[in-house]
Amino acid sequence: MTGNGTGTGTGIRLHAPAPGWALTADVVVVGSGVAGLTAALRCEAAGLKTVVVTKARLDDGSTRWAQGGIAAALGEGDTPEQHLDDTLVAGAGLCDEEAVRILVTEGPDAVRRLISTGAHFDTDDEGGIELTREGGHHRRRIAHAGGDATGAEISRALVEAARARGVRMVENALVLDLLTDARGRTAGVTLHVMGEGQHDGVGAVHAPAVVLATGGMGQVFSATTNPSVSTGDGVALALRAGAEISDLEFVQFHPTVLFLGPDAEGQQPLVSEAVRGEGAHLVDAAGVRFMVGQHELAELAPRDIVAKGIMRRMQEQDAEHMFLDARHFGAAMWEHRFPTILAACRANGIDPVTEPVPVAPAAHYASGGVRTDARGRTTVPGLYACGEVACTGVHGANRLASNSLLEGLVYAERIAADIAESQAENGLHARVPAPVPDPEKPAHPLLAPEARFAIQRIMTEGAGVLRSAESLATAADQLQQLHTDARDALDENGKTAEPGVDTWEATNLLCVARVLVAAARLREETRGCHWREDRADRDDTDWRRHIVVRLNPDRTLAVHTTDTADFPPTVQPQPAPQPRPQEQ
């Protein structure tokens, strides 16, 4: 069912106390990375009362961890068409070409607007933006800041701009569920403020438009580059609200993450692709450059190819990691160009100036997510999504390096324009819809906090870089058992784990893990960053199409494929409104 105003919700919600306080707004933006803050700033500029809700502090999301940079056709001789071609190749036949064209044509000006907002990028001797190259790009088109601290600089600039404009912020707040009105349209969100937030406990923000910009879900795996807050909350909320999720099987594993040992868990230090862009070599323990001959770009091949190359070499040699050798950079270049990475390596007892850096793939980026159209609209009326939580069609089966920050910028601006236009046309400005009461049925059972680690182990073993029918079936069975145990406990005695951040996060992780595994089992081919050992070939005849998942009211998953590589529209045409009888 598409977003047609007839009610798309599942009736499922997280077990939580009733809201004890409420704010009102025209727009509530969930997330404070590049996508969320850009959307908020543009909405405020359009005269919309905007509230930003963020899970930790304003700058604690994934944006500030982005090392490489932001890709755009800014250099001499480069064009949006060339950027489009590189993106389509990396996306392995599943990119939405129109979505990519929007990205690459609107991207350069979006970057310039970011600069005018206050972001400072590294410049060359003549004052122009210094550009580097990353995997999958045939041109130098990656703008960076502070050498390898681009995300931190973008985050700083946007946070300062949002504070200067007086955008209302609710920090340390985990969003729980979407509120809807009697017609099934978005009416705001419920949220829980943690610790020293502005409000205590569970509350609500009532608004006719909600923008999900909650970032990724890397914490569903044991080793990831994502921060601890990346637990798939936005995707899980959207599923419970009845939205469609697409292409969640395409999880990009970054090829070069600092290897901290086989038992390391949680967020791991990233060794940016830009290090390879500047000439670092991938080698095995014997010093052999094993990517040469595997792809025309060798170490600069798209990430899925490099990750597979590393995993294959690790299997062949029964090794836990490979090495990235950049000793030839010298100390001065390391200190100037990659100070953040240099510090992270040295903090873990490795000096890349004098020794190769041990690296292995780790979960990095979700190319799929909440399905949207070119305006960021989901299949639930009034609910938008942008950034990593969204599936705009830009990334296809594999994200091209450094397109993510650009996607957050471009599509956040488009969302703000659509909300402003929609509220002006429909008279929603200053009119907050009344949310319907919580459903009578029992809330979604919560998992105990320790289930988080069980989910991560199951996903790493069964749905990591290397997947097969057998490994995915095992993962599905184990996840289903966790789901069944929680459901049965609730059905039998009405008890569930105590509501709280840890239990809500574990429950959200299980939700997105089940969707990911269901999609990965169905896609019986290898494409982009989805690598099936038992289906090693790409199959354009049967599988050049998208997998779409919805959550049924009974908490089962409805999984189907699109007929072609094109997405159906998210919003169905509406009949013209009938004139209301005049009041007497």
Side-chain angles (χ1 to χ4, degrees):
M1 183 186 298
T2 48
N4 54 16
T6 59
T8 57
T10 63
I12 302 170
R13 57 186 173 84
L14 287 175
H15 185 85
W21 53 269
L23 305 174
T24 60
D26 295 318
V27 186
V28 55
V29 177
V30 187
S32 60
V34 62
L37 290 181
T38 298
L41 286 167
R42 296 295 179 266
C43 285
E44 278 280 339
L48 299 173
K49 183 181 177 182
T50 306
V51 172
V52 172
V53 175
T54 187
K55 193 172 179 181
R57 294 174 314 204
L58 281 181
D59 60 353
D60 269 351
S62 294
T63 292
R64 76 181 181 102
W65 297 100
Q67 295 174 344
I70 185 166
L74 298 165
E76 185 177 352
D78 197 5
T79 64
E81 200 68 26
Q82 293 176 67
H83 189 183
L84 180 141
D85 289 343
D86 285 346
T87 301
L88 294 181
V89 169
L94 279 186
C95 293
D96 181 308
E97 186 167 339
E98 181 55 31
V100 179
R101 194 170 296 280
I102 288 169
L103 179 84
V104 299
T105 55
E106 298 182 10
D109 283 344
V111 172
R112 295 182 185 105
R113 283 188 289 273
L114 179 62
I115 292 170
S116 70
T117 301
H120 301 293
F121 289 92
D122 295 342
T123 56
D124 56 28
D125 294 339
E126 298 175 356
I129 296 177
E130 188 175 57
L131 301 173
T132 190
R133 188 175 160 204
E134 291 184 355
H137 293 272
H138 284 80
R139 290 274 188 176
R140 283 184 171 262
R141 64 168 67 98
I142 316 300
H144 51 85
D148 58 356
T150 310
E153 170 58 19
I154 291 174
S155 181
R156 179 206 62 78
L158 291 174
V159 168
E160 286 187 6
R163 285 177 171 152
R165 281 200 67 94
V167 177
R168 182 152 192 183
M169 311 287 182
V170 182
E171 296 182 274
N172 303 306
L174 172 63
V175 168
L176 301 176
D177 281 306
L178 190 75
L179 294 170
T180 54
D181 65 14
R183 295 189 302 154
R185 293 189 58 89
T186 293
V189 293
T190 55
L191 64 156
H192 173 78
V193 179
M194 303 170 272
E196 299 178 1
Q198 186 174 359
H199 302 277
D200 291 325
V202 174
V205 181
H206 296 156
V210 171
V211 181
L212 293 178
T214 52
M217 51 183 221
Q219 291 290 327
V220 79
F221 294 97
S222 297
T224 178
T225 63
N226 290 189
S228 61
V229 294
S230 297
T231 51
D233 307 317
V235 170
L237 176 150
L239 278 162
R240 291 191 294 272
E244 291 183 351
I245 309 300
S246 187
D247 299 353
L248 214 62
E249 70 271 30
F250 296 117
V251 176
Q252 189 175 75
F253 287 79
H254 198 288
T256 53
V257 175
L258 186 63
F259 182 75
L260 300 180
D263 298 323
E265 293 182 336
Q267 186 177 14
Q268 317 281 304
L270 177 66
V271 182
S272 169
E273 195 147 0
V275 178
R276 282 174 282 136
E278 296 292 352
H281 301 145
L282 277 168
V283 298
D284 59 19
V288 177
R289 286 183 62 190
F290 55 87
M291 285 304 299
V292 175
Q294 291 198 37
H295 189 276
E296 60 168 332
L297 296 175
E299 285 94 351
L300 285 175
R303 287 178 176 174
D304 61 306
I305 294 172
V306 179
K308 292 172 190 175
I310 292 174
M311 292 300 296
R312 285 195 186 104
R313 197 67 160 193
M314 287 166 55
Q315 285 183 323
E316 291 169 4
Q317 300 186 348
D318 193 25
E320 294 178 326
H321 60 81
M322 290 289 110
F323 293 93
L324 192 63
D325 192 350
R327 290 174 290 180
H328 53 286
F329 285 4
M333 180 174 174
W334 268 110
E335 291 164 1
H336 168 71
R337 181 68 179 85
F338 301 112
T340 307
I341 300 170
L342 179 63
C345 288
R346 285 178 169 169
N348 286 282
I350 299 153
D351 188 349
V353 176
T354 60
E355 60 186 317
V357 178
V359 293
H364 182 56
Y365 191 89
S367 292
V370 185
R371 185 166 83 79
T372 74
D373 64 9
R375 297 184 181 187
R377 299 177 295 187
T378 74
T379 51
V380 175
L383 179 64
Y384 296 77
C386 59
E388 190 174 355
V389 71
C391 181
T392 62
V394 160
H395 304 306
N398 187 42
R399 176 182 67 106
L400 181 65
S402 289
N403 268 355
S404 49
L405 292 176
L406 190 71
E407 183 197 32
L409 272 182
V410 168
Y411 281 88
E413 291 186 343
R414 295 177 72 83
I415 285 173
D418 190 77
I419 293 174
E421 178 184 329
S422 174
Q423 296 202 9
E425 287 179 356
N426 298 319
L428 295 177
H429 184 62
R431 181 184 70 78
V432 178
V436 296
D438 286 333
E440 295 297 325
K441 66 169 58 180
H444 197 295
L446 301 179
L447 273 67
E450 55 268 23
R452 176 177 185 143
F453 304 106
I455 294 165
Q456 291 173 335
R457 176 187 54 76
I458 291 166
M459 294 298 289
T460 298
E461 293 177 358
V465 180
L466 306 178
R467 301 169 179 174
S468 67
E470 182 180 1
S471 75
L472 290 166
T474 299
D477 289 345
Q478 292 173 330
L479 293 173
Q480 182 60 38
Q481 191 61 54
L482 290 174
H483 177 75
T484 301
D485 290 347
R487 181 198 63 198
D488 291 348
L490 182 64
D491 291 345
E492 289 173 7
N493 52 35
K495 291 184 179 179
T496 183
E498 189 68 23
V501 174
D502 290 345
T503 55
W504 288 321
E505 285 185 336
T507 304
N508 285 340
L509 283 172
L510 178 61
C511 183
V512 297
R514 291 176 65 219
V515 174
L516 193 162
V517 169
R521 292 184 75 184
L522 184 59
R523 183 173 292 280
E524 294 183 333
E525 65 159 356
T526 288
R527 182 186 297 270
C529 52
H530 171 66
W531 184 14
R532 285 281 296 261
E533 291 182 283
D534 56 327
R535 294 287 190 273
D537 297 325
R538 172 170 154 177
D539 180 359
D540 280 347
T541 301
D542 291 331
W543 286 109
R544 190 166 178 259
R545 58 192 68 200
H546 303 276
I547 294 175
V548 178
V549 183
R550 283 193 60 205
L551 187 63
N552 292 321
D554 64 357
R555 303 179 193 135
T556 60
L557 300 177
V559 185
H560 74 274
T561 62
T562 57
D563 294 331
T564 68
D566 298 326
F567 279 126
T570 59
V571 180
Q572 295 299 316
Q574 295 294 298
Q578 298 299 312
R580 295 180 179 178
Q582 293 185 342
E583 293 183 0
Q584 299 299 317

Coordinates of all heavy atoms in Angstrom, one line a residue, residues 69-128:
G69 N 35.6 12.9 2.7 CA 35.1 14.2 2.1 C 33.8 14.1 1.5 O 33.0 13.2 1.8
I70 N 33.5 15.1 0.6 CA 32.3 15.2 -0.1 C 32.5 15.3 -1.6 O 33.3 16.1 -2.0 CB 31.5 16.4 0.5 CG1 30.1 16.5 -0.1 CG2 32.2 17.7 0.3 CD1 29.2 17.4 0.6
A71 N 31.9 14.4 -2.3 CA 32.1 14.3 -3.8 C 31.2 15.3 -4.5 O 30.0 15.3 -4.3 CB 31.9 12.9 -4.2
A72 N 31.8 16.1 -5.5 CA 31.0 16.9 -6.4 C 31.9 17.3 -7.5 O 33.1 17.4 -7.4 CB 30.5 18.2 -5.6
A73 N 31.3 17.6 -8.7 CA 32.0 18.0 -9.9 C 32.4 19.4 -9.8 O 31.8 20.3 -10.4 CB 31.2 17.7 -11.1
L74 N 33.5 19.7 -9.0 CA 33.9 21.1 -8.7 C 35.2 21.4 -9.4 O 35.6 22.6 -9.5 CB 34.1 21.3 -7.2 CG 32.9 21.2 -6.3 CD1 33.3 21.0 -4.9 CD2 31.9 22.3 -6.5
G75 N 35.9 20.4 -9.9 CA 37.2 20.6 -10.5 C 37.2 20.9 -12.0 O 36.3 20.6 -12.7
E76 N 38.3 21.5 -12.4 CA 38.5 21.8 -13.9 C 38.4 20.5 -14.7 O 39.1 19.6 -14.4 CB 39.8 22.6 -14.1 CG 39.9 23.0 -15.5 CD 41.2 23.9 -15.7 OE1 41.9 24.2 -14.7 OE2 41.5 24.2 -16.9
G77 N 37.6 20.5 -15.7 CA 37.5 19.3 -16.6 C 36.5 18.3 -16.1 O 36.1 17.4 -16.9
D78 N 36.1 18.4 -14.9 CA 35.1 17.4 -14.4 C 33.7 17.9 -14.7 O 33.4 19.1 -14.8 CB 35.2 17.3 -12.8 CG 34.6 16.0 -12.3 OD1 34.0 15.2 -13.1 OD2 34.5 15.8 -11.1
T79 N 32.7 17.0 -14.8 CA 31.4 17.4 -15.1 C 30.4 16.5 -14.3 O 30.8 15.4 -13.9 CB 31.0 17.2 -16.6 OG1 31.1 15.8 -16.9 CG2 32.0 18.0 -17.5
P80 N 29.2 17.0 -14.1 CA 28.2 16.2 -13.5 C 27.9 14.8 -14.2 O 27.7 13.8 -13.6 CB 26.9 17.0 -13.5 CG 27.4 18.4 -13.5 CD 28.7 18.4 -14.3
E81 N 28.1 14.9 -15.5 CA 27.9 13.6 -16.3 C 28.9 12.6 -16.0 O 28.6 11.4 -15.9 CB 27.9 14.0 -17.8 CG 27.2 12.9 -18.7 CD 25.7 12.8 -18.5 OE1 25.1 13.8 -18.1 OE2 25.2 11.7 -18.8
Q82 N 30.2 13.0 -15.8 CA 31.2 12.1 -15.4 C 31.0 11.5 -14.0 O 31.2 10.3 -13.7 CB 32.6 12.7 -15.5 CG 33.0 13.1 -16.9 CD 34.3 13.9 -16.9 OE1 35.4 13.3 -16.6 NE2 34.3 15.1 -17.2
H83 N 30.5 12.4 -13.1 CA 30.2 12.0 -11.8 C 29.0 11.0 -11.8 O 29.0 9.9 -11.1 CB 29.8 13.2 -10.9 CG 29.7 12.9 -9.4 ND1 29.3 13.9 -8.5 CD2 29.8 11.8 -8.7 CE1 29.3 13.4 -7.3 NE2 29.6 12.1 -7.4
L84 N 28.0 11.2 -12.6 CA 26.9 10.3 -12.8 C 27.4 8.9 -13.3 O 27.0 7.9 -12.7 CB 25.9 10.9 -13.8 CG 24.6 10.1 -14.0 CD1 23.4 11.0 -14.1 CD2 24.8 9.3 -15.3
D85 N 28.3 8.9 -14.3 CA 28.7 7.7 -14.8 C 29.4 6.8 -13.8 O 29.2 5.6 -13.6 CB 29.7 7.9 -16.0 CG 29.0 8.4 -17.2 OD1 27.7 8.3 -17.3 OD2 29.7 9.0 -18.1
D86 N 30.3 7.5 -13.0 CA 31.0 6.7 -11.9 C 30.0 6.2 -10.9 O 30.2 5.1 -10.3 CB 32.0 7.6 -11.2 CG 33.3 7.9 -12.1 OD1 33.5 7.1 -13.1 OD2 34.0 8.8 -11.8
T87 N 29.0 7.0 -10.5 CA 28.0 6.5 -9.5 C 27.2 5.4 -10.1 O 27.0 4.4 -9.3 CB 27.1 7.7 -9.2 OG1 27.8 8.8 -8.7 CG2 26.0 7.3 -8.2
L88 N 26.8 5.4 -11.3 CA 26.0 4.3 -11.9 C 26.8 3.0 -12.0 O 26.3 1.9 -11.7 CB 25.5 4.7 -13.3 CG 24.5 5.8 -13.4 CD1 24.1 6.1 -14.8 CD2 23.3 5.6 -12.5
V89 N 28.1 3.1 -12.3 CA 29.0 1.9 -12.3 C 29.1 1.3 -10.9 O 28.9 0.1 -10.8 CB 30.4 2.3 -12.9 CG1 31.3 1.1 -12.7 CG2 30.3 2.6 -14.4
A90 N 29.3 2.1 -9.9 CA 29.4 1.6 -8.6 C 28.1 1.0 -8.1 O 28.1 0.0 -7.4 CB 29.9 2.7 -7.6
G91 N 27.0 1.5 -8.5 CA 25.7 1.1 -8.1 C 25.2 -0.2 -8.7 O 24.2 -0.8 -8.3
A92 N 26.0 -0.8 -9.6 CA 25.8 -2.1 -10.2 C 24.4 -2.4 -10.7 O 23.8 -3.4 -10.5 CB 26.2 -3.2 -9.1
G93 N 23.9 -1.4 -11.5 CA 22.7 -1.6 -12.2 C 21.4 -1.3 -11.4 O 20.3 -1.5 -11.9
L94 N 21.5 -0.9 -10.1 CA 20.3 -0.6 -9.3 C 20.1 0.8 -8.9 O 19.2 1.1 -8.2 CB 20.3 -1.5 -8.1 CG 19.8 -3.0 -8.3 CD1 19.7 -3.7 -7.0 CD2 18.5 -3.0 -9.0
C95 N 21.0 1.7 -9.4 CA 20.8 3.1 -9.1 C 19.5 3.6 -9.9 O 19.2 3.1 -11.0 CB 21.9 4.0 -9.6 SG 23.5 3.7 -8.7
D96 N 18.8 4.6 -9.3 CA 17.8 5.3 -10.0 C 18.5 6.4 -10.7 O 19.0 7.4 -10.1 CB 16.7 5.8 -9.0 CG 15.6 6.6 -9.7 OD1 15.9 7.5 -10.5 OD2 14.5 6.3 -9.5
E97 N 18.6 6.4 -12.1 CA 19.4 7.3 -12.8 C 18.9 8.8 -12.6 O 19.7 9.7 -12.5 CB 19.4 7.0 -14.3 CG 20.3 7.9 -15.1 CD 20.6 7.4 -16.5 OE1 20.4 6.2 -16.8 OE2 21.0 8.2 -17.3
E98 N 17.6 9.0 -12.5 CA 17.1 10.3 -12.3 C 17.5 10.8 -10.9 O 17.9 12.0 -10.7 CB 15.6 10.4 -12.4 CG 15.0 11.8 -12.2 CD 15.6 12.8 -13.2 OE1 16.0 12.5 -14.3 OE2 15.6 14.0 -12.8
A99 N 17.5 10.0 -9.9 CA 17.9 10.4 -8.6 C 19.4 10.7 -8.6 O 19.8 11.7 -7.9 CB 17.7 9.2 -7.6
V100 N 20.2 10.0 -9.3 CA 21.6 10.3 -9.4 C 21.9 11.6 -10.1 O 22.7 12.4 -9.7 CB 22.4 9.1 -10.1 CG1 23.9 9.5 -10.2 CG2 22.2 7.8 -9.3
R101 N 21.1 11.8 -11.2 CA 21.2 13.0 -12.0 C 20.9 14.2 -11.1 O 21.6 15.3 -11.2 CB 20.3 13.0 -13.2 CG 20.7 14.0 -14.2 CD 19.9 13.8 -15.5 NE 20.3 12.5 -16.2 CZ 21.4 12.4 -16.9 NH1 22.2 13.4 -17.1 NH2 21.6 11.2 -17.5
I102 N 19.9 14.1 -10.3 CA 19.6 15.2 -9.3 C 20.8 15.4 -8.4 O 21.2 16.6 -8.2 CB 18.3 14.8 -8.5 CG1 17.1 14.9 -9.4 CG2 18.2 15.7 -7.3 CD1 15.9 14.3 -8.7
L103 N 21.4 14.4 -7.9 CA 22.5 14.5 -7.0 C 23.7 15.2 -7.6 O 24.2 16.2 -7.0 CB 22.9 13.1 -6.5 CG 24.1 13.0 -5.6 CD1 23.7 13.2 -4.2 CD2 24.9 11.7 -5.7
V104 N 24.1 14.8 -8.8 CA 25.3 15.3 -9.4 C 25.1 16.7 -10.0 O 26.1 17.5 -10.1 CB 25.9 14.3 -10.4 CG1 26.2 13.0 -9.8 CG2 24.9 14.1 -11.6
T105 N 23.9 17.0 -10.4 CA 23.7 18.4 -11.0 C 23.4 19.4 -9.9 O 23.9 20.6 -10.1 CB 22.5 18.4 -12.0 OG1 21.3 17.8 -11.4 CG2 22.8 17.5 -13.2
E106 N 22.7 19.1 -8.9 CA 22.4 20.0 -7.8 C 23.5 20.0 -6.8 O 23.6 21.0 -5.9 CB 21.1 19.7 -7.1 CG 19.9 19.8 -8.1 CD 18.6 19.5 -7.4 OE1 18.5 19.4 -6.1 OE2 17.5 19.4 -8.1
G107 N 24.4 19.0 -6.8 CA 25.5 18.9 -5.8 C 26.5 20.0 -5.7 O 26.7 20.5 -4.6
P108 N 27.0 20.5 -6.8 CA 28.0 21.5 -6.7 C 27.5 22.8 -6.0 O 28.2 23.4 -5.2 CB 28.4 21.8 -8.2 CG 28.2 20.4 -8.8 CD 27.0 19.9 -8.2
D109 N 26.3 23.2 -6.4 CA 25.7 24.4 -5.8 C 25.4 24.2 -4.3 O 25.5 25.1 -3.5 CB 24.5 24.9 -6.5 CG 24.8 25.6 -7.8 OD1 26.0 26.0 -8.0 OD2 23.9 25.8 -8.7
A110 N 25.0 22.9 -4.0 CA 24.7 22.6 -2.6 C 26.0 22.7 -1.7 O 25.9 23.2 -0.6 CB 24.1 21.2 -2.5
V111 N 27.1 22.3 -2.3 CA 28.4 22.4 -1.6 C 28.7 23.9 -1.4 O 29.2 24.3 -0.3 CB 29.5 21.7 -2.4 CG1 30.9 21.9 -1.7 CG2 29.3 20.2 -2.4
R112 N 28.5 24.7 -2.4 CA 28.8 26.1 -2.3 C 27.9 26.8 -1.3 O 28.4 27.6 -0.5 CB 28.6 26.8 -3.7 CG 29.6 26.3 -4.8 CD 29.4 27.0 -6.1 NE 30.3 26.4 -7.1 CZ 29.9 25.6 -8.1 NH1 28.6 25.3 -8.2 NH2 30.8 25.1 -8.9
R113 N 26.7 26.3 -1.2 CA 25.8 26.8 -0.1 C 26.3 26.4 1.3 O 26.2 27.1 2.3 CB 24.4 26.4 -0.3 CG 23.6 27.2 -1.4 CD 22.2 26.9 -1.5 NE 21.9 25.5 -2.0 CZ 21.7 25.2 -3.3 NH1 21.9 26.2 -4.2 NH2 21.5 24.0 -3.6
L114 N 26.8 25.2 1.3 CA 27.4 24.7 2.6 C 28.6 25.6 3.0 O 28.8 25.9 4.2 CB 27.9 23.3 2.5 CG 28.5 22.6 3.7 CD1 27.6 22.5 4.8 CD2 29.0 21.2 3.3
I115 N 29.4 26.0 2.0 CA 30.5 26.8 2.3 C 30.0 28.2 2.8 O 30.6 28.8 3.7 CB 31.4 27.0 1.0 CG1 32.1 25.6 0.7 CG2 32.5 28.1 1.2 CD1 32.8 25.6 -0.6
S116 N 29.0 28.7 2.1 CA 28.4 30.0 2.6 C 27.8 29.9 4.0 O 27.7 30.9 4.7 CB 27.4 30.5 1.5 OG 26.2 29.7 1.6
T117 N 27.4 28.7 4.4 CA 26.9 28.5 5.7 C 28.0 28.6 6.8 O 27.8 28.9 7.9 CB 26.2 27.2 5.8 OG1 25.1 27.1 4.9 CG2 25.6 26.9 7.2
G118 N 29.3 28.4 6.3 CA 30.4 28.5 7.2 C 31.4 27.4 7.2 O 32.4 27.4 8.0
A119 N 31.2 26.4 6.4 CA 32.1 25.2 6.3 C 33.4 25.6 5.6 O 33.3 26.3 4.5 CB 31.5 24.0 5.7
H120 N 34.5 25.3 6.1 CA 35.8 25.6 5.5 C 36.5 24.4 5.0 O 36.9 23.5 5.8 CB 36.7 26.3 6.5 CG 36.2 27.6 7.1 ND1 36.0 28.7 6.4 CD2 35.7 27.9 8.4 CE1 35.4 29.7 7.1 NE2 35.3 29.2 8.3
F121 N 36.7 24.3 3.7 CA 37.4 23.2 3.1 C 38.8 23.5 2.8 O 39.2 24.7 2.7 CB 36.7 22.8 1.7 CG 35.3 22.1 1.9 CD1 34.2 22.9 1.9 CD2 35.2 20.8 2.2 CE1 32.9 22.3 2.1 CE2 34.0 20.2 2.4 CZ 32.8 21.0 2.4
D122 N 39.7 22.5 2.7 CA 41.1 22.7 2.4 C 41.2 23.3 1.0 O 40.5 22.9 0.1 CB 41.8 21.4 2.5 CG 41.8 20.8 3.9 OD1 41.6 21.5 4.9 OD2 42.1 19.6 4.1
T123 N 42.2 24.2 0.9 CA 42.4 24.9 -0.3 C 43.8 24.8 -0.8 O 44.7 24.5 0.0 CB 42.0 26.4 -0.2 OG1 42.8 27.0 0.8 CG2 40.6 26.6 0.1
D124 N 44.0 25.0 -2.1 CA 45.3 24.9 -2.7 C 46.0 26.2 -2.6 O 45.5 27.2 -2.0 CB 45.3 24.4 -4.1 CG 44.4 25.2 -5.0 OD1 44.3 26.5 -4.7 OD2 43.9 24.7 -6.0
D125 N 47.2 26.4 -3.2 CA 48.0 27.6 -3.0 C 47.3 28.8 -3.7 O 47.6 29.9 -3.3 CB 49.4 27.4 -3.7 CG 50.2 26.4 -2.9 OD1 49.9 26.2 -1.7 OD2 51.2 25.8 -3.5
E126 N 46.4 28.5 -4.6 CA 45.8 29.6 -5.3 C 44.4 29.9 -4.7 O 43.6 30.7 -5.2 CB 45.6 29.2 -6.8 CG 46.9 29.0 -7.5 CD 46.8 28.6 -9.0 OE1 45.6 28.3 -9.3 OE2 47.8 28.5 -9.7
G127 N 44.1 29.2 -3.6 CA 42.8 29.5 -2.9 C 41.6 28.7 -3.4 O 40.5 28.9 -2.9
G128 N 41.8 27.8 -4.4 CA 40.7 27.0 -4.8 C 40.6 25.8 -3.9 O 41.5 25.4 -3.2

